[in-house]
Amino acid sequence: MKKKFKLIILSLFAITFGCSHSGHKDRKPHIAIAGLGIESSTFSPARTHEDAFHTWEGNEIFSYYPFFSDSSLLQQAEWSPTKLSRSLPGGTVTRETYESLVGKTLELLEKNKPYDGLFLDIHGAMSVVGLDDPEGDFIQRIRKVIGYETLISTSMDLHGNVSLRLAENSDLITCYRMAPHEDAWESRQRALVNLIDRVESGKGKPAYKAWVPVPILLPGEKTSTRIEPAKSLYQEVAPATELDGVIDAAIWVGYAWADEPRNHAVVMAYGDDQGKVGQVAEQLAQHFWDVRKEFSFVAPTGNLKECLDQAIKSSKKPFFISDSGDNPTAGGAGDVSWTLTEVLKRPEFKSANGPSLIYASIPGPELIEKAVNAGVGSKIEANVGALVDDRDAPPLKIAGTIKSIVQGDKNAETEVVVRVGSVDIIVTKKRKPYHTEADFTRLGLNPREADIVMVKIGYLVPELYNMQADWLLALTPGGVDQDLERLDYQRIIRPMFPLDKDMEDPDLSARFIPISGTQQE
Ligand SMILES: [Zn+2]
């Protein structure tokens, strides 16, 4: 009874809040934009500094979002874009960097308030030195500046984490429904369109928000929506949001390479019909739990030796091998030298006539400097890798011939291809993910003609996936080790599937959380 009474009070609040926002027929809604995105591993010794973030300020921000090229969207509101900062995944963000980025965003938000709405674009898996739940902290500090009358619509990656604090302070909150994230722009647009709709219609904050923590922690490489069971699970989201009284719903897989209580899966739904909101959230959470034992790696896996043995024997080419433990796009340092060290030990690759293998990639600023001075065609000998993460192998001395030198890449800055035996090693000044065919052909390499292509990546992005004749995911060591049982978790909530195999069924009933601004009362 007590709970029900509280909900009635909350609904009254919703109506009141809604009314206070409505009826601005004389002017367009005033919408601010802010964003901060990185996924950062606490299992990597790497640290992320401010120079790793690309930032957009003011009107530059419109150019980041393809959907703003549609001028009708631009005309729907009076916009106050503030600051958007995004980095490649990496190690834990330093506290100074976080404070600086957050501080500048808050300053800009302060300038043009009050707002009817804020579109908050975050990843959700940022780790910061000495600070739990950075996105929760960020949104709470935003609330202190803009207040609680503003509707916040939060858009996230499905690998982000949704703490109770983040859920409470967001009025609308959503994430991608596809991994790989082919719907990244569509999802952000949904978050924005729903925000404008709730403000313009005067409906304001949804009356009900349901949050269901699901005690499952899985790597992204087991939860691709291209295959079951994630495919069917995520396909259930869109139809559920068609129900009258439900605005949106979302499933977060969460981020497995940080060790905080918030790291686990979450389901949310929200809208104005309490029964339907609760039903959708519980149905999605139960579906997730029911299929938990069916998640497996998107590609056959093996240790490195098994993967190399099979690739060398295979007649299919190019044979792709994911060097997954140091995947820089999941938060690995990207400079673990262990895998390349093992490759170069293999007798098959010692002679130029061996099976051709492209290795992408390893940072080696020392080699880059020498190569730029020596020039293409010269012999070179220098160390690569393990400047950031040397836990599994020390810097590797490679000796070979320089095949190409390319300057100017946004991430790598300088790239050098060194031929060692039958292996073409891509060495970069700074770490860079290799995700497109052009990333290789720009360097004079033809991955389609190679026998084996090894990439520091987890699941293959669409362009590489379409190129592969066969593919294995090597369970190599690094900051984003795919074998979660090798990680030394101390702070995640237990029990957690699949770490605690025989755990009991959890309580997956919908938890209705207060409308933002009412939780302090
Ligand atoms: Zn993701």
Side-chain angles (χ1 to χ4, degrees):
M1 276 312 279
K2 210 172 169 188
K3 194 177 172 193
K4 198 159 192 186
F5 177 70
K6 201 171 170 195
L7 286 168
I8 291 166
I9 299 283
L10 292 180
S11 321
L12 286 173
F13 259 111
I15 292 159
T16 323
F17 273 114
C19 290
S20 72
H21 278 280
S22 66
H24 301 304
K25 283 186 181 133
D26 49 330
R27 63 167 182 87
K28 293 176 182 176
H30 183 202
I31 312 271
I33 304 173
L36 180 51
I38 181 171
E39 99 190 86
S40 39
S41 168
T42 59
F43 293 104
S44 156
R47 288 286 179 269
T48 300
H49 301 275
E50 193 160 353
D51 63 358
F53 284 85
H54 295 275
T55 64
W56 294 260
E57 272 188 33
N59 289 336
E60 282 174 2
I61 290 179
F62 294 123
S63 66
Y64 176 75
Y65 298 101
F67 46 77
F68 276 121
S69 62
D70 171 5
S71 62
S72 69
L73 183 62
L74 269 179
Q75 280 159 17
Q76 277 183 49
E78 182 203 329
W79 300 95
S80 287
T82 61
K83 188 178 178 70
L84 177 69
S85 315
R86 297 190 68 85
S87 163
L88 279 178
T92 310
V93 176
T94 65
R95 189 65 183 259
E96 297 71 34
T97 299
Y98 173 77
E99 292 299 335
S100 164
L101 296 173
V102 167
K104 283 179 201 156
T105 310
L106 297 179
E107 231 170 76
L108 291 168
L109 277 170
E110 179 77 49
K111 275 191 187 157
N112 293 309
K113 66 183 190 181
Y115 307 101
D116 298 298
L118 166 66
F119 170 58
L120 182 62
D121 184 359
I122 58 175
H123 181 287
M126 171 165 52
S127 302
V128 173
V129 176
L131 178 70
D132 268 14
D133 185 25
E135 286 85 355
D137 176 75
F138 185 34
I139 197 169
Q140 205 166 35
R141 286 164 71 177
I142 287 175
R143 282 293 188 195
K144 283 197 183 123
V145 172
I146 67 171
Y148 285 91
E149 294 224 356
T150 306
L151 259 79
I152 299 185
S153 182
T154 304
S155 175
M156 296 176 68
D157 188 296
L158 62 84
H159 299 118
N161 311 294
V162 186
S163 66
L164 195 52
R165 179 165 59 159
L166 180 59
E168 279 172 351
N169 284 288
S170 302
D171 299 299
L172 309 168
I173 183 165
T174 197
C175 70
Y176 311 149
R177 297 168 184 168
M178 294 173 88
H181 307 317
E182 293 163 80
D183 65 335
W185 298 118
E186 190 187 318
S187 301
R188 291 183 174 104
Q189 195 171 358
R190 181 173 65 245
L192 202 49
V193 167
N194 283 340
L195 174 64
I196 294 174
D197 176 60
R198 296 297 290 194
V199 171
E200 267 191 336
S201 65
K203 289 179 185 160
K205 306 187 178 196
Y208 301 99
K209 258 189 312 192
W211 178 82
V212 187
V214 185
I216 295 178
L217 195 55
L218 292 169
E221 281 62 21
K222 283 187 174 176
T223 46
S224 166
T225 60
R226 291 181 166 213
I227 55 167
E228 296 297 354
K231 190 176 176 187
S232 296
L233 174 64
Y234 272 90
Q235 273 170 358
E236 215 176 288
V237 179
T241 64
E242 298 297 313
L243 293 175
D244 251 357
V246 177
I247 300 169
D248 202 358
I251 305 170
W252 287 263
V253 165
Y255 184 62
W257 296 287
D259 189 14
E260 282 187 42
R262 70 171 187 169
N263 293 93
H264 53 75
V266 164
V267 170
M268 280 190 74
Y270 46 90
D272 300 320
D273 182 320
Q274 186 184 10
K276 294 207 177 96
V277 164
Q279 175 201 321
V280 164
E282 288 178 1
Q283 172 196 322
L284 295 175
Q286 191 62 49
H287 184 161
F288 201 162
W289 182 252
D290 289 345
V291 297
R292 68 192 180 282
K293 291 180 179 158
E294 293 164 35
F295 290 98
S296 55
F297 283 111
V298 289
T301 57
N303 62 36
L304 182 63
K305 183 184 177 301
E306 292 162 350
C307 293
L308 284 170
D309 286 347
Q310 212 168 314
I312 290 165
K313 251 193 285 165
S314 174
S315 59
K316 293 182 188 163
K317 64 179 186 177
F319 196 116
F320 272 72
I321 297 176
S322 295
D323 178 7
S324 67
D326 188 32
N327 174 11
T329 55
D335 88 330
V336 174
S337 59
W338 182 86
T339 304
L340 182 59
T341 304
E342 296 301 309
V343 168
L344 295 180
K345 277 183 195 163
R346 298 277 302 221
E348 294 92 338
F349 303 118
K350 297 265 187 213
S351 100
N353 305 323
S356 61
L357 186 149
I358 297 173
Y359 186 81
S361 59
I362 187 107
E366 177 196 321
L367 183 139
I368 293 287
E369 204 187 319
K370 282 190 182 173
V372 168
N373 289 328
V376 173
S378 310
K379 298 258 181 251
I380 190 159
E381 188 175 324
N383 282 332
V384 296
L387 287 177
V388 178
D389 191 344
D390 64 354
R391 293 170 301 171
D392 296 292
L396 170 66
K397 178 155 284 181
I398 59 174
T401 309
I402 302 169
K403 272 182 74 173
S404 63
I405 302 174
V406 175
Q407 306 267 13
D409 181 78
K410 178 175 85 151
N411 294 309
E413 294 182 6
T414 308
E415 298 156 278
V416 170
V417 178
V418 180
R419 177 88 172 188
V420 179
S422 63
V423 180
D424 285 324
I425 303 164
I426 303 175
V427 183
T428 59
K429 185 169 171 201
K430 292 186 174 173
R431 76 206 173 99
K432 168 185 167 63
Y434 284 76
H435 284 185
T436 67
E437 188 164 1
D439 284 337
F440 295 89
T441 53
R442 277 186 320 109
L443 308 177
L445 296 169
N446 186 350
R448 289 181 187 275
E449 291 295 311
D451 293 316
I452 303 168
V453 180
M454 290 191 78
V455 188
K456 283 188 189 285
I457 198 171
Y459 52 50
L460 294 182
V461 293
E463 203 167 322
L464 300 185
Y465 183 82
N466 292 332
M467 200 195 301
Q468 51 93 19
D470 208 342
W471 170 33
L472 285 173
L473 194 135
L475 297 173
T476 50
V480 290
D481 197 322
Q482 293 290 327
D483 188 350
L484 300 188
E485 301 193 12
R486 290 197 290 221
L487 300 177
D488 181 27
Y489 291 109
Q490 302 287 337
R491 301 187 54 225
I492 57 167
I493 295 168
R494 306 301 281 257
M496 182 75 72
F497 182 85
L499 301 169
D500 303 299
K501 292 200 169 40
D502 299 320
M503 63 186 284
E504 281 173 25
D505 287 340
D507 174 10
L508 297 175
S509 54
R511 302 187 197 178
F512 287 96
I513 53 178
I515 291 166
S516 65
T518 63
Q519 71 263 30
Q520 285 95 344
E521 307 192 6

